[in-house]
């Protein structure tokens, strides 16, 4: 299988089995966080999976992910990312990749999505026991 095919299979498996409460999540987190869970994988690493639901989330706080990278999949609605260096919109069924340690959020030039809402599935691989998101004051 290609990487893209493997990601589609992983997303399908996760979508059919993933609805966990995020009550124990850090005080400062993302708007609309519905669930967050960690799964142990080989090599002292963990797979972190989050589900979020927001409307016009242009006020996401500045942060980065000390992870091996992040895949964000749009389950429904419209979202946006500047991960390619320029703002791009993503719709249901599309996804983007965020490289490790990329500082983002709190961007003054973020396009206004108006009343657009989105449901996202966020997938990261991190070192076991490490934070997957670091917020910048």
């Amino acid at each position: 299988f290609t990487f893209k095919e493997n990601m589609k299979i992983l997303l399908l498996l996760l979508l059919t089995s993933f609805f966990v409460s995020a009550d124990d999540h850090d005080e400062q987190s993302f708007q609309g966080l519905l669930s967050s869970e960690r799964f142990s994988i080989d090599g002292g690493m963990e797979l972190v999976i989050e589900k979020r639901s927001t409307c016009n989330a242009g006020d996401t706080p500045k942060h980065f992910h000390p992870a091996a990278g992040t895949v964000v999949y749009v389950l429904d609605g419209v979202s946006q990312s500047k991960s390619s260096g320029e703002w791009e919109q993503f719709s249901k069924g599309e996804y983007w990749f965020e490289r490790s340690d990329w500082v983002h959020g709190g961007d003054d030039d973020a396009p206004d999505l108006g009343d657009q809402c989105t449901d996202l599935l966020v997938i990261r691989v991190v070192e076991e026991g490490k934070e997957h998101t670091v917020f910048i004051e």
Side-chain angles (χ1 to χ4, degrees):
F1 291 105
T2 67
F3 175 76
K4 191 171 183 176
E5 290 169 330
N6 284 335
M7 287 305 299
K8 284 182 180 180
I9 292 168
L10 176 63
L11 286 172
L12 180 60
L13 290 172
L14 295 171
L15 289 174
T16 59
S17 65
F18 181 70
F19 291 96
V20 177
S21 172
D23 292 338
D24 62 344
H25 203 61
D26 295 338
E27 262 185 53
Q28 186 177 18
S29 65
F30 296 103
Q31 177 186 16
L33 181 65
L34 299 176
S35 58
S36 181
E37 188 167 14
R38 290 176 175 251
F39 300 91
S40 291
I41 56 178
D42 291 338
M45 303 298 279
E46 293 177 321
L47 181 66
V48 178
I49 303 172
E50 295 178 338
K51 186 174 180 188
R52 295 196 293 244
S53 183
T54 60
C55 295
N56 193 8
D59 59 352
T60 302
K62 191 170 286 296
H63 64 282
F64 66 93
H65 309 287
T70 299
V71 174
V72 182
Y73 182 84
V74 181
L75 297 169
D76 197 19
V78 176
S79 190
Q80 61 190 2
S81 174
K82 197 174 182 180
S83 59
S84 68
E86 303 213 6
W87 285 106
E88 293 181 67
Q89 281 196 0
F90 297 88
S91 300
K92 180 179 180 175
E94 297 179 320
Y95 59 91
W96 67 89
F97 176 78
E98 298 176 355
R99 69 186 181 281
S100 179
D101 298 324
W102 171 55
V103 176
H104 56 288
D107 298 304
D108 293 334
D109 66 340
D112 185 0
L113 290 177
D115 293 333
Q116 293 290 326
C117 297
T118 185
D119 293 332
L120 300 174
L121 185 67
V122 182
I123 303 167
R124 296 184 186 91
V125 175
V126 298
E127 288 183 48
E128 190 171 341
K130 300 278 183 161
E131 290 298 323
H132 59 80
T133 301
V134 176
F135 291 96
I136 301 170
E137 298 297 324

